Amino acid sequence: MAKLSQDDLLAQFEEMTLIELSEFVKAFEDKFDVTAAAAAPVVVAGGAAGGAAEAVEEQDEFDVILTGAGDKKIQVIKVVRELTSLGLKEAKDLVDGTPKPVLEKVAKDAAEKAAEALKGAGASVEVK
């Protein structure tokens, strides 16, 4: 088997959907017994009175998680397909396997629009 370069691997990952990439990361973690953890921000503490100053970071990436399909499952599947690049089977599997993330690490406005579209189709949604 030929060894793939880093650029080749990145090109393959670019073609994957967020859900496919998330599943890959989980499989990678299981195979190699590792965890992919985000780097923790370094907080410098200090002050004239000796109190600790914490940097409050505003969240700029949100996950849209489908928690239930509701009564109009077909409508929810259609909305999931519009929001993602999933095929019919993958979208149906996602809706059947709730709770599952529909979109991950998206901007606040995109997350709100996606949540409203899913709620409008009759689904129950959580934005984290």
Side-chain angles (χ1 to χ4, degrees):
M1 182 169 166
K3 185 175 177 182
L4 296 174
S5 72
Q6 187 175 0
D7 291 333
D8 293 337
L9 286 171
L10 289 174
Q12 290 296 315
F13 292 140
E14 285 179 337
E15 295 176 11
M16 298 174 94
T17 64
L18 289 176
I19 293 172
E20 291 169 335
L21 190 57
S22 173
E23 290 170 354
F24 169 78
V25 169
K26 288 177 188 171
F28 185 90
E29 290 173 340
D30 291 342
K31 171 97 175 155
F32 296 104
D33 195 28
V34 296
T35 57
V42 177
V43 177
V44 178
E54 289 189 27
V56 178
E57 195 172 307
E58 186 175 332
Q59 184 176 359
D60 61 350
E61 292 181 338
F62 296 86
D63 296 340
V64 179
I65 300 171
L66 181 67
T67 57
D71 295 335
K72 300 177 181 177
K73 187 171 154 183
I74 293 172
Q75 298 301 78
V76 174
I77 292 171
K78 287 180 181 180
V79 173
V80 167
R81 289 191 68 204
E82 290 172 7
L83 295 172
T84 64
S85 60
L86 295 177
L88 180 60
K89 182 182 182 324
E90 291 83 6
K92 182 183 179 302
D93 291 344
L94 187 144
V95 171
D96 287 340
T98 56
K100 287 225 175 168
V102 177
L103 297 174
E104 296 178 317
K105 297 184 180 178
V106 295
K108 185 176 182 176
D109 58 337
E112 289 173 351
K113 287 179 185 177
E116 288 302 315
L118 287 164
K119 287 177 184 176
S124 55
V125 181
E126 186 176 308
V127 177
K128 290 187 177 182

